[in-house]
């Protein structure tokens, strides 16, 4: 680990398997600079919070409905993130559209993972969309979040075949296996390599 770790915060809503993969990678020494310092969920019952606690990482839950507006809710999240000096936010199965307050505080510093080869099949049920479309290949994408849905500049992708007889469950499992590796790869790219954006393309030196 270098003298100046880059602090990451992770937002989850559910199972937290991507969070678990990131924390396991960190503990295995995969990151030269990145350190996961806090985990936040919009759902207090999310398994992802238990994953964080098992790894002894600070875990927080806020319910958006307890706040008068999305902006107020996001301001509360930001104050937690700032208290941990978070520089990059990872959306690991965070089932909400990121609002203007978070985007303004972390421009090009929010990474989302999505279970398709974007720009194909954005939004919910990406694996089902790929099957219903008859795609031969799908995959997963890590991209910077922007005001669109699964729309920001792409950081890294992996291709996964759609096999005859696949169901939503079998395809999702095959993609998830790749997601777990891809998110780690993306964290390493943005925290260990200088990068800049040309148009929509993220260029790594
Ligand atoms: C993953 O498939 C991710 O791509 C999508 O939501 C799912 C979250 O799974 N955004 P987990 O909570 O990381 O297990």
């Amino acid at each position: 680990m270098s003298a100046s770790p880059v602090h990451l915060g992770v937002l989850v809503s559910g199972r937290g398997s991507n969070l678990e993969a990131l924390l396991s990678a960190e503990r295995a020494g995969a990151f030269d600079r990145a350190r996961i310092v806090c985990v936040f969920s919009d759902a207090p019952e999310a398994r992802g919070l238990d994953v964080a606690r098992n790894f002894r990482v600070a875990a927080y839950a806020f319910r958006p409905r307890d706040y008068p507006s999305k902006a107020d809710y996001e301001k509360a999240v930001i104050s937690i993130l700032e208290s941990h000096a978070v520089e990059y936010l990872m959306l690991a199965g965070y089932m909400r559209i990121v609002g203007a307050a978070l985007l303004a505080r972390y421009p090009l510093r929010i990474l989302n993972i999505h279970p398709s080869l974007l720009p194909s099949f954005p939004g919910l049920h990406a694996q089902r969309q790929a099957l219903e479309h008859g795609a031969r290949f799908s995959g997963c994408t890590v991209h910077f979040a922007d005001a669109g849905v699964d729309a920001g500049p792409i950081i890294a992708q992996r291709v996964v075949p759609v096999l005859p007889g696949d169901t939503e469950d079998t395809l999702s499992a095959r993609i998830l296996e790749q997601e777990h590796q891809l998110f780690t790869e993306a964290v390493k790219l943005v925290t260990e390599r200088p990068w800049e954006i040309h148009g929509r393309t993220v260029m790594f030196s």
Side-chain angles (χ1 to χ4, degrees):
M1 176 78 66
S2 97
S4 59
V6 178
H7 286 191
L8 310 183
V10 185
L11 270 52
V12 299
S13 295
R15 175 177 63 178
S17 73
N18 276 288
L19 168 66
E20 196 161 12
L22 285 169
L23 285 165
S24 301
E26 181 189 311
R27 297 299 148 93
F31 301 140
D32 287 350
R33 298 197 63 207
R35 183 189 294 163
I36 295 164
V37 293
C38 63
V39 171
F40 169 86
S41 179
D42 58 339
E45 68 286 359
R47 177 185 170 270
L49 291 170
D50 296 327
V51 171
R53 292 182 194 113
N54 287 341
F55 278 84
R56 304 272 182 274
V57 172
Y60 303 88
F62 291 163
R63 259 191 297 251
R65 65 165 185 258
D66 294 339
Y67 295 83
S69 70
K70 182 163 185 160
D72 289 310
Y73 158 74
E74 290 200 339
K75 278 182 204 153
V77 177
I78 289 168
S79 73
I80 297 283
L81 298 172
E82 287 182 340
S83 75
H84 287 277
V86 164
E87 290 169 65
Y88 281 91
L89 259 190
M90 323 290 295
L91 308 182
Y94 182 65
M95 299 308 288
R96 276 173 201 281
I97 309 258
V98 174
L102 268 170
L103 286 171
R105 174 61 185 81
Y106 290 100
L108 291 175
R109 291 291 182 278
I110 304 179
L111 279 66
N112 181 46
I113 187 153
H114 182 75
S116 78
L117 274 186
L118 291 171
S120 290
F121 314 128
L124 291 176
H125 309 301
Q127 303 93 332
R128 191 188 307 168
Q129 291 184 56
L131 284 171
E132 285 174 353
H133 196 84
R136 302 294 193 205
F137 291 93
S138 189
C140 46
T141 303
V142 175
H143 64 94
F144 285 118
D146 66 9
V149 176
D150 302 319
I154 289 169
I155 296 164
Q157 293 187 297
R158 285 203 180 187
V159 177
V160 173
V162 179
L163 300 179
D166 258 344
T167 62
E168 194 175 348
D169 283 350
T170 58
L171 179 59
S172 299
R174 194 175 308 116
I175 293 174
L176 192 64
E177 217 174 287
Q178 297 304 313
E179 289 185 43
H180 292 163
Q181 298 174 36
L182 187 72
F183 223 175
T184 295
E185 188 182 310
V187 166
K188 288 181 70 64
L189 279 170
V190 299
T191 61
E192 294 174 25
R193 299 260 298 270
W195 58 266
E196 50 190 40
I197 299 209
H198 295 225
R200 285 192 48 93
T201 305
V202 186
M203 310 275 281
F204 294 96
S205 324

